[in-house]
Amino acid sequence: MRRDRAAVGEFLQTQIARQQTEDAAGSWLEYLTAALDYRSWHEFAVERQQHGRWVPATGPASGGERVLAVSVPLFAAASSHYASAASPYAPRLVILDEAFAGVDDDSRAKCLGLLHAFDLDVVMTSEREWACYPQVPGIAIAQLSRVDEVAAVLVTRWEWDGTARTRHEDPVRTPDPEPLWT
């Protein structure tokens, strides 16, 4: 931990010295403000391959291409962040809401396979995505259904084992035991 603090201190000192060199007439407040602006420390460019060449991900693209251009780097970043967990048993949770809307089936399958390759635990909502692709070795599915006139939601449980989707019966519910006192 002490080495980490020293490395951070050295990094910040280097940033401040760089600001002083670039602007000899500046004030300490200006040096610190510029040096501690983390947005200037690194620059990342996200590109996608289109028609055999690399183009900026921000350029013209379909809705699905834009979803993938943003999602894939985020999945990689989440996996990298979780790799720093103190325990190998720490959850690696990613929660996605309608994550692959507008993405074709082949690309959704590859993206879900990528989540598996990154060893991420995924909870996902979707109006129509079942995630039953060969790239996904297993997934538990809870299909929610409701009728407008009924104030309840029906939950149907499914499971994908990498080759087939099967329906599971509702768990057996046991009545609450009698209270020990009244």
Side-chain angles (χ1 to χ4, degrees):
M1 187 68 144
R2 182 172 280 159
R3 282 185 288 156
D4 291 341
R5 286 188 200 140
V8 170
E10 288 174 24
F11 175 77
L12 293 175
Q13 289 295 330
T14 302
Q15 295 298 325
I16 294 167
R18 187 180 55 116
Q19 289 301 320
Q20 288 174 310
T21 302
E22 291 176 4
D23 180 16
S27 68
W28 267 103
L29 179 59
E30 290 168 331
Y31 296 150
L32 290 175
T33 300
L36 299 177
D37 184 355
Y38 64 87
R39 296 171 296 178
S40 67
W41 296 348
H42 299 286
E43 183 175 315
F44 296 95
V46 179
E47 297 179 325
R48 60 186 169 83
Q49 196 164 45
Q50 183 177 20
H51 307 299
R53 61 187 179 97
W54 289 98
V55 297
T58 56
S62 70
E65 289 171 327
R66 284 193 299 271
V67 166
L68 294 175
V70 171
S71 299
V72 171
L74 288 174
F75 298 157
S79 180
S80 176
H81 174 71
Y82 285 140
S84 68
S87 168
Y89 304 107
R92 299 170 53 85
L93 186 62
V94 174
I95 301 173
L96 306 172
D97 183 27
E98 297 290 339
F100 304 117
V103 177
D104 64 85
D105 288 343
D106 182 57
S107 295
R108 279 197 315 269
K110 288 175 182 172
C111 244
L112 288 164
L114 184 61
L115 288 166
H116 169 67
F118 282 143
D119 192 28
L120 295 170
D121 303 318
V122 181
V123 175
M124 183 171 67
T125 65
S126 178
E127 184 177 316
R128 68 176 202 93
E129 179 59 60
W130 287 76
C132 298
Y133 303 105
Q135 294 87 337
V136 179
I139 192 164
I141 304 163
Q143 179 186 21
L144 307 180
S145 308
R146 61 179 288 279
V147 177
D148 286 339
E149 299 80 34
V150 179
V153 175
L154 171 66
V155 179
T156 308
R157 297 179 336 118
W158 298 83
E159 192 172 296
W160 170 254
D161 66 5
T163 57
R165 182 178 66 198
T166 55
R167 183 175 177 189
H168 286 261
E169 295 301 318
D170 291 336
V172 176
R173 301 184 195 283
T174 57
D176 291 336
E178 293 294 323
L180 297 176
W181 61 87
T182 55

